[in-house]
């Protein structure tokens, strides 16, 4: 216990030095609008990371699509066939699309289009909301603070919805005028959906339905939103909109652009381009659920490619454990034959690695293994 405490302090000290970005921030939107004929070096990925270095799956391949209609009957008992589809998707893919998920299609469209309008504001009007690596809240253009890093071709906006003491409307945009209200409602609906999915995740592992939720801190979970804006890119074959990563949190509910593809999911040694179904959400397992499930569920690598024809907007909603409780494999899921693969760590501690290093495939969760 004492040892753990000491480690936390070291991490906190490291964190507090990250008050500013290591280099002046350049908005990708500004670069895209300056009619560049070539791509600035900062955005040229090494050959091994470029979009075409790993084979792409045949165009028709897609992640599983699961219809949630009738998932919970009136008496609260879940539908076994839908549960089985979710179980397989979490184990084999770490990613799936859901239909009839209970969030109104009009609300989904309003959420995305309000953000599109925000990103279409002139860059200088968005600078009021510029973020720092301390909390990441606000308008940003890089992840990670490593000096000289090759950057991704995207701008973003990051904000907290839960816990309530972190939700601060002053850190949310005030334009378009409807954006705060729409995002607030959207957030509540998506939290609701996450609650239902969490029950299924527990039941599918033979646990009581509230077990995952309780391990996340019950009502005290965290929820935040990252809105990604991927401008048109002059040399899309050399860049990435978002580098390969797994999501550090619990579970992500992604609302993709309704017109433009871009998200790719790694399956075996291929990249699968997700073909979003109209008004579906894309659900994916994050590192914290992989850890709680002792790796029964997989937090899978994904990335975003860009194109020279069209911009793309996506909303990534992160459903996270309460940030100061240790997350470790659930006791019922480990035994002498199936020992815990991960030592306990709070999400606060875990997130610091990511915030320092930026997206790096699955290296974060893979380095966080129990000593053998
Ligand atoms: C993310 C993410 C995918 C996308 O924000 O973590 O993976 O399609 N986004 O923008
Ligand atoms: Ni992601």
């Amino acid at each position: 216990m004492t040892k753990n405490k000491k480690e936390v302090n070291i991490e906190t000290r490291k964190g507090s030095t990250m008050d500013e970005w290591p280099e002046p921030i350049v908005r990708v939107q500004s670069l895209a609008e300056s009619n560049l004929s070539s791509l600035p070096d900062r955005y040229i990925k090494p050959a091994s990371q470029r979009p075409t270095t790993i084979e792409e799956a045949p165009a028709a391949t897609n992640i599983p699509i699961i219809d949630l209609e009738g998932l919970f009957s009136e008496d609260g008992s879940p539908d076994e066939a839908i549960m089985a589809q979710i179980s397989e998707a979490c184990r084999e893919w770490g990613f799936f699309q859901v239909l009839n998920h209970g969030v109104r299609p009009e609300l989904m469209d309003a959420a995305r289009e309000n953000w599109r309008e925000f990103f279409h504001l002139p860059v200088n009007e968005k600078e009021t909301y510029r973020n720092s690596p301390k909390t990441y809240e606000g308008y940003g253009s890089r992840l990670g603070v490593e000096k000289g890093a090759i950057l991704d071709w995207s701008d973003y906006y990051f904000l907290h919805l839960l816990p309530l003491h972190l939700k601060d409307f002053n850190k949310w945009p005030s334009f378009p005028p409807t954006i705060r209200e729409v995002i607030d409602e959207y957030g509540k609906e998506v939290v609701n959906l996450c609650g239902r999915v969490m029950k299924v995740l527990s039941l599918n592992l033979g646990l009581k339905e509230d077990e995952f939720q309780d391990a996340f801190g019950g009502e005290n979970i965290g929820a935040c939103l990252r809105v990604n804006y991927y401008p048109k890119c002059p040399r899309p074959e050399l860049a990435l909109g978002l580098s390969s990563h797994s999501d550090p949190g619990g579970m992500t509910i992604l609302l993709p652009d309704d017109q433009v593809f871009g998200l790719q999911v790694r399956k075996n040694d291929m990249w699968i381009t997700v073909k979003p179904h109209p008004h579906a959400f894309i659900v994916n397992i994050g590192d914290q659920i992989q850890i709680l499930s002792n790796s029964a569920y997989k937090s899978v690598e994904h990335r975003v490619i860009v194109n020279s024809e069209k911009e793309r907007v996506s909303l990534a909603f992160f459903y996270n454990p309460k940030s100061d409780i240790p997350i470790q494999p659930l006791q019922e899921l480990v035994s002498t034959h199936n020992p815990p693969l991960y030592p306990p760590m709070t999400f606060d501690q875990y997130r610091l690695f990511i915030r320092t290093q930026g997206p790096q495939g699955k290296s974060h969760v893979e380095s966080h293994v129990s000593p053998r």
Side-chain angles (χ1 to χ4, degrees), residues 226 228 230 242 245 247 252 254 262-263 302 304 312 314 316 318:
R226 186 171 69 225
N228 300 296
Y230 305 98
L242 187 54
H245 66 283
D247 291 345
T252 306
L254 184 85
L263 174 63
H302 52 287
V304 176
R312 179 171 179 272
S314 70
F318 303 113

Side-chain angles (χ1 to χ4, degrees), residues 95 143 156 226-230 241-243 245-248 252 254-257 260-264 274 282 284 302-305 312-318:
F95 260 90
L143 300 168
Y156 64 86
R226 186 171 69 225
V227 185
N228 300 296
Y229 179 67
Y230 305 98
L242 187 54
S243 294
H245 66 283
S246 62
D247 291 345
T252 306
L254 184 85
L255 174 61
D257 198 287
V260 186
F261 295 171
L263 174 63
Q264 296 190 317
V274 174
I282 298 166
N284 67 286
H302 52 287
R303 67 178 190 182
V304 176
I305 54 171
R312 179 171 179 272
V313 175
S314 70
L315 277 63
F317 181 96
F318 303 113

